[in-house]
Amino acid sequence: MSYIKLKEKIKKGQLAPLYLLYGTEQYLIDEITQQLLSKALTDEERDFNLSVYDMQEQPVDSAVEEGQTLPFFGDRRVVIIKNASFLTGAKGKDKIEHNLKVLEEYIENPPGETLFIIIAPYAKLDERKKLVKKLKSGGEVLQADSFDDQLKAKWLQDKAEEMNLSLPSEAKEKLLQLAGRDLMQLASEFQKLALYAGESKSITVEAVEMLIARTLEENIFALVENVVYGRTEKALRIYYDLLKQNEEPVKILNLFARQFRIILHIKELSRRGYSRQKIAGHLKLHPYAVKMAEQQAKGFSEKELATILKELAEMDYQMKMGKMDKKLILELFITQLKKEPKKARPR
């Protein structure tokens, strides 16, 4: 079952007696686990009716016995077993001896009063095992894999709606571009933006650009964008900041060349009629980065881009041969690239 569908069922209170949560996206596993707990137990009931077992330290028999015990001062009991490596093909890692037969018997007829949650934070399970087959056929199953860009956008929108926040599409795209590689990081950065929004209840693209830390590649993207639109002062400010962070001019130049190659590729592919989504897949870029590079490409002809790439190759040679100060080479390139700046986009 997909994360979205499982989340919707939990929200409606449609709880099952048995859950299997596996995969490498720990954030999704943690979030679904917390949602199940919140729906099944009050804070007061957790002291009496929540039990957590680590399969690296405790036998599965103990967890099964707990699952068969009636809830105390409440309607439900929740039993969580973590690190269920016995569901994988790994051998010799378990220090604890598990009686998996009792777990198989439990799965065949789980008590309705207990939510039994099995967590296996591994990429694959051993589908040949009888226990895995029984779990997948008898319980609710979440394979917690990394989201694609579309699912991340949906996840962000749902989060914004849950918190009554306005998240315009441009701010959402910018946030995905800057922090969308890892869901845990994306969630953390979104929480930061939500706190910053405060009473305005609005996350703006300006807030995203101000609060979200950029990687070196993203700083190069911003540097190129400022150069393209004639914002030389802002471009130099980013460049000087990178130098203060001890980034090597040769490395900056190579990333500069990479960005201009991307712009050239996008210009060529657009001319051939490729859609933005298809270009993103072909170049392995986020669609928002393609959208921004498309706009940057409008400021150059293919011939101009080819000339710039030749200049960057010559600059790389000059740096490596020590013919001129490395920092000065790049500074001159930034200031001279756009002798007659195009009209800057509104910021």
Side-chain angles (χ1 to χ4, degrees), residues 87-103:
L87 299 178
T88 71
K91 297 184 182 296
K93 288 190 175 182
D94 288 334
K95 299 177 183 177
I96 306 297
E97 188 174 335
H98 299 289
N99 185 352
L100 299 181
K101 183 67 177 175
V102 298
L103 180 56

Side-chain angles (χ1 to χ4, degrees), residues 71-112:
F72 189 70
F73 290 129
D75 296 326
R76 284 195 179 95
R77 177 179 293 282
V78 177
V79 176
I80 300 173
I81 71 171
K82 298 162 59 178
N83 299 316
S85 60
F86 49 71
L87 299 178
T88 71
K91 297 184 182 296
K93 288 190 175 182
D94 288 334
K95 299 177 183 177
I96 306 297
E97 188 174 335
H98 299 289
N99 185 352
L100 299 181
K101 183 67 177 175
V102 298
L103 180 56
E104 287 181 15
E105 292 171 355
Y106 181 93
I107 291 167
E108 290 172 0
N109 188 28

Side-chain angles (χ1 to χ4, degrees), residues 15 35-42 45 76-78 115:
L15 303 182
Q35 288 173 1
L36 286 168
L37 280 173
S38 296
K39 208 69 178 176
L41 301 175
T42 65
E45 288 172 337
R76 284 195 179 95
R77 177 179 293 282
V78 177
L115 261 72

Side-chain angles (χ1 to χ4, degrees), residues 2-217:
S2 72
Y3 162 82
I4 300 294
K5 286 184 179 178
L6 182 53
K7 186 178 177 181
E8 287 173 355
K9 289 187 75 170
I10 297 170
K11 191 175 181 180
K12 292 175 183 176
Q14 299 172 358
L15 303 182
L18 185 65
Y19 289 88
L20 169 62
L21 313 179
Y22 78 98
T24 55
E25 190 58 82
Q26 188 64 46
Y27 180 84
L28 294 182
I29 291 175
D30 292 344
E31 189 173 49
I32 289 295
T33 302
Q34 289 306 313
Q35 288 173 1
L36 286 168
L37 280 173
S38 296
K39 208 69 178 176
L41 301 175
T42 65
D43 291 342
E44 293 77 14
E45 288 172 337
R46 293 188 188 194
D47 290 337
F48 303 102
N49 292 321
L50 171 62
S51 303
V52 181
Y53 293 86
D54 188 336
M55 295 296 96
Q56 293 178 350
E57 299 175 0
Q58 298 156 292
V60 74
D61 326 30
S62 301
V64 169
E65 185 178 347
E66 187 74 24
Q68 292 169 331
T69 305
L70 288 172
F72 189 70
F73 290 129
D75 296 326
R76 284 195 179 95
R77 177 179 293 282
V78 177
V79 176
I80 300 173
I81 71 171
K82 298 162 59 178
N83 299 316
S85 60
F86 49 71
L87 299 178
T88 71
K91 297 184 182 296
K93 288 190 175 182
D94 288 334
K95 299 177 183 177
I96 306 297
E97 188 174 335
H98 299 289
N99 185 352
L100 299 181
K101 183 67 177 175
V102 298
L103 180 56
E104 287 181 15
E105 292 171 355
Y106 181 93
I107 291 167
E108 290 172 0
N109 188 28
E113 301 86 2
T114 299
L115 261 72
F116 201 84
I117 304 170
I118 300 175
I119 297 174
Y122 315 108
K124 291 182 180 179
L125 304 184
D126 189 342
E127 303 288 343
R128 299 167 299 177
K129 290 189 174 182
K130 184 179 178 182
L131 180 57
V132 173
K133 292 176 181 176
K134 283 193 172 186
L135 276 170
K136 287 200 167 185
S137 62
E140 297 278 25
V141 181
L142 170 69
Q143 184 174 356
D145 289 334
S146 298
F147 278 179
D148 59 21
D149 292 332
Q150 190 175 0
L151 276 176
K152 283 176 185 173
K154 174 75 166 62
W155 179 85
L156 270 179
Q157 196 59 51
D158 288 347
K159 279 287 183 188
E161 289 173 6
E162 286 173 11
M163 302 174 72
N164 295 316
L165 289 168
S166 168
L167 182 62
S169 58
E170 190 176 359
K172 180 167 58 181
E173 288 175 348
K174 191 68 176 178
L175 177 55
L176 285 168
Q177 180 203 348
L178 295 178
R181 290 180 179 84
D182 175 75
L183 198 55
M184 189 79 77
Q185 181 196 4
L186 185 60
S188 174
E189 298 294 359
F190 179 79
Q191 189 63 35
K192 184 199 300 181
L193 288 163
L195 290 171
Y196 181 79
E199 294 181 1
S200 73
K201 292 290 183 180
S202 179
I203 295 175
T204 64
V205 70
E206 290 79 13
V208 174
E209 290 178 340
M210 180 176 68
L211 294 178
I212 306 304
R214 295 176 185 267
T215 63
L216 175 58
E217 289 82 359

